Amino acid sequence: MPAYATNMRFKFPIVALTLEILTIILYAVFVVYDDGKSSHDHHNDHNGTSETSPVILYPMFQDVHVMIFIGFGFLMTFLKRYGFSSVGLNLLLAAFGLQWGLLLQNVWHLDDGKIKVNILKMINADFSTATVLISFGAVLGKTSPVQLLIMTLLEITTFAINEHIVVEMLGVSDIGASMTIHAFGAYFGLAVARMLYRPGLRNGHENDGSVYHSDLFAMIGTVYLWMFWPSFNSAIADPGMPQLTAIINTYFSLAACALSAYATSSLVEHKGKLDMVHIQNATLAGGVAVGTCANMSIGPFGAMTIGLLAGIISTVGFKFLTPILAANLGIQDTCGVHNLHGMPGILGGLAGIVAVALGKLEDKDPAMQAAGLASSLGFALVGGAITGLIMKLPFWGQPPDQNCFDDSIYWEVPEEEDENEESLAHGDHSKNKTEA
């Protein structure tokens, strides 16, 4: 059995402060305020600041910000003894990720050697952190804060390269980022999880499950994500009708997805009962799947059809596919990101290919859409595998198997938590997933 050095007293501050100081130095050299006097127009500055109010996109930015810090954070609080880490490490990774993402996304578009910050670039920086938070879900409970910072550094770097290739070089339309964020983040995380496979957890872990109140907290994240997803898919769309189309398509896709997720959950569960895991996650799959063609004229019925399929695919994945991946492929996907982001992300990419082929968006090539999906999956799997191998090095402070899914190894936990845990646990809901 490997030796575990989980004391974070020196290694975590050294890594975190080194990364932050390096970032500050890079910002001092390259980053300035956007004064609205760009020497040239960028592809992603169509909502820029030169002709309109520089803060016109701030409401959209706030919506995306809420999704990143509240939505993703609370969605992962379902683990009964890992709430501090779910919300707290989500904040840590997003805070570093948005700084690193803004740098790397815009290094291709320097304006007189500088990156000029505006609200649009801040929205895109938040988007880059979403890839990391999706991957975080795949390895939740099994990694140290230092490992996760390393993953953030490497994943956003890989993401920025892939995004540049897909959007700039291939000319792919992926306005809601089904391919470049959701599919990429999911399969990157799954590749990392495979590299970090723990044989000692193949029969489960006593803390890898929920209790009544932890599932309720996770549902808070679900509701925030569900409410604000139209902003996520439309924030960087061209103003006017394309942006309105993205809002409407996401709105209806989410609604249809919710119905299909509830229905499918009842269908596959014992005695027709609803499983909270399905409701927390699969109800969001419509927002993921409609992302690529959110700004395309697919009609509300088209968006609803995508949402319907996404809800079914996601729920069936949680019920049947996650155990198969763990047992046969050694992929221990804690949050089921394959079902919420991976398969719906691929569905979104395929829907985009079909929509472009049907002429729902002008001047786009379905072959390039397919190449964009392939590129995202390829970079995710290869980048994730390499990142996982680096994270597997023994000095990052990863937890031993018996301490996985437990806040107390990296956090000061109130003593009364141990006393109250039994009375608060109305039953381990993780058992429901396998018994039904």
Side-chain angles (χ1 to χ4, degrees):
M1 182 160 178
Y4 294 92
T6 58
N7 190 317
M8 294 283 103
R9 186 171 187 182
F10 295 109
K11 65 182 68 173
F12 174 65
I14 289 172
V15 171
L17 291 176
T18 299
L19 290 174
E20 184 59 35
I21 290 169
L22 172 63
T23 304
I24 289 173
I25 293 170
L26 292 173
Y27 269 64
V29 175
F30 292 108
V31 181
V32 296
Y33 301 120
D34 187 351
D35 56 7
K37 300 176 182 177
S38 177
S39 61
H40 52 275
D41 294 324
H42 302 325
H43 81 288
N44 60 345
D45 277 344
H46 46 69
N47 279 345
T49 61
S50 58
E51 298 179 1
T52 59
S53 168
V55 294
I56 194 170
L57 283 176
Y58 189 71
M60 286 286 193
F61 165 74
Q62 280 290 73
D63 290 353
V64 173
H65 224 44
V66 166
M67 290 180 69
I68 295 298
F69 288 93
I70 298 179
F72 278 103
F74 276 89
L75 183 63
M76 292 184 281
T77 58
F78 69 95
L79 290 173
K80 56 189 173 185
R81 298 188 63 84
Y82 210 66
F84 284 13
S85 298
S86 298
V87 177
L89 295 182
N90 184 90
L91 172 60
L92 170 72
L93 302 184
F96 171 60
L98 66 88
Q99 298 174 71
W100 190 242
L102 191 143
L103 277 173
L104 294 190
Q105 284 181 305
N106 294 287
V107 72
W108 321 98
H109 309 293
L110 296 178
D111 188 344
D112 294 329
K114 301 293 183 181
I115 297 170
K116 295 189 174 182
V117 179
N118 55 31
I119 300 296
L120 182 64
K121 288 185 173 68
M122 291 164 62
I123 292 174
N124 277 313
D126 271 14
F127 285 167
S128 72
T129 70
T131 61
V132 175
L133 302 182
I134 292 167
S135 300
F136 177 35
V139 297
L140 187 71
K142 299 168 291 187
T143 44
S144 72
V146 176
Q147 284 179 299
L148 292 170
L149 282 175
I150 299 302
M151 185 180 78
T152 302
L153 178 75
L154 298 177
E155 181 167 4
I156 288 181
T157 303
T158 310
F159 161 77
I161 295 170
N162 177 67
E163 184 188 46
H164 180 71
I165 292 172
V166 171
V167 177
E168 294 290 327
M169 299 175 66
L170 300 179
V172 170
S173 176
D174 190 26
I175 201 68
S178 298
M179 299 182 287
T180 54
I181 290 178
H182 296 289
F184 177 91
Y187 288 101
F188 192 102
L190 293 174
V192 171
R194 181 62 187 88
M195 294 299 104
L196 300 181
Y197 173 67
R198 291 172 176 262
L201 299 181
R202 62 174 170 265
N203 295 322
H205 190 287
E206 61 178 349
N207 289 330
D208 184 13
S210 64
V211 290
Y212 193 86
H213 67 277
S214 67
D215 268 337
L216 191 59
F217 269 110
M219 197 63 193
I220 294 173
T222 300
V223 173
Y224 269 98
L225 289 168
W226 202 91
M227 288 171 57
F228 290 114
W229 215 295
S231 294
F232 189 95
N233 281 355
S234 65
I236 62 172
D238 289 331
M241 196 61 197
Q243 193 166 52
L244 177 61
T245 301
I247 293 170
I248 292 172
N249 283 340
T250 308
Y251 176 83
F252 283 113
S253 182
L254 285 165
C257 177
L259 268 291
S260 68
Y262 272 82
T264 308
S265 179
S266 177
L267 181 65
V268 301
E269 285 299 325
H270 187 55
K271 295 183 179 179
K273 293 184 178 181
L274 299 171
D275 189 327
M276 199 58 162
V277 173
H278 304 160
I279 307 310
Q280 288 162 358
N281 294 278
T283 53
L284 301 170
V288 174
V290 81
T292 296
C293 48
N295 62 332
M296 303 181 192
S297 300
I298 58 175
F301 78 94
M304 294 162 78
T305 301
I306 292 172
L308 178 80
L309 293 174
I312 295 170
I313 290 170
S314 181
T315 307
V316 170
F318 275 103
K319 180 63 179 177
F320 300 109
L321 192 54
T322 296
I324 293 174
L325 291 179
N328 297 338
L329 298 180
I331 299 175
Q332 298 162 329
D333 180 6
T334 307
C335 291
V337 301
H338 184 237
N339 311 307
L340 173 54
H341 300 278
M343 292 189 295
I346 291 177
L347 174 62
L350 296 175
I353 295 169
V354 173
V356 169
L358 294 175
K360 302 301 181 181
L361 188 67
E362 297 178 356
D363 301 324
K364 295 297 177 182
D365 184 349
M368 290 298 101
Q369 294 290 128
L373 177 59
S375 173
S376 297
L377 295 177
F379 270 95
L381 292 171
V382 174
I386 295 171
T387 299
L389 289 173
I390 294 172
M391 292 170 65
K392 201 171 184 176
L393 296 173
F395 45 77
W396 299 126
Q398 56 266 50
D401 291 347
Q402 66 267 27
N403 295 115
C404 287
F405 313 108
D406 192 337
D407 279 332
S408 62
I409 192 170
Y410 300 120
W411 295 82
E412 292 288 347
V413 177
E415 292 180 6
E416 61 267 22
E417 180 70 17
D418 294 328
E419 301 170 8
N420 292 338
E421 191 66 38
E422 290 296 324
S423 62
L424 288 171
H426 293 191
D428 188 341
H429 291 250
S430 64
K431 297 176 183 176
N432 294 338
K433 305 172 194 174
T434 56
E435 290 175 359

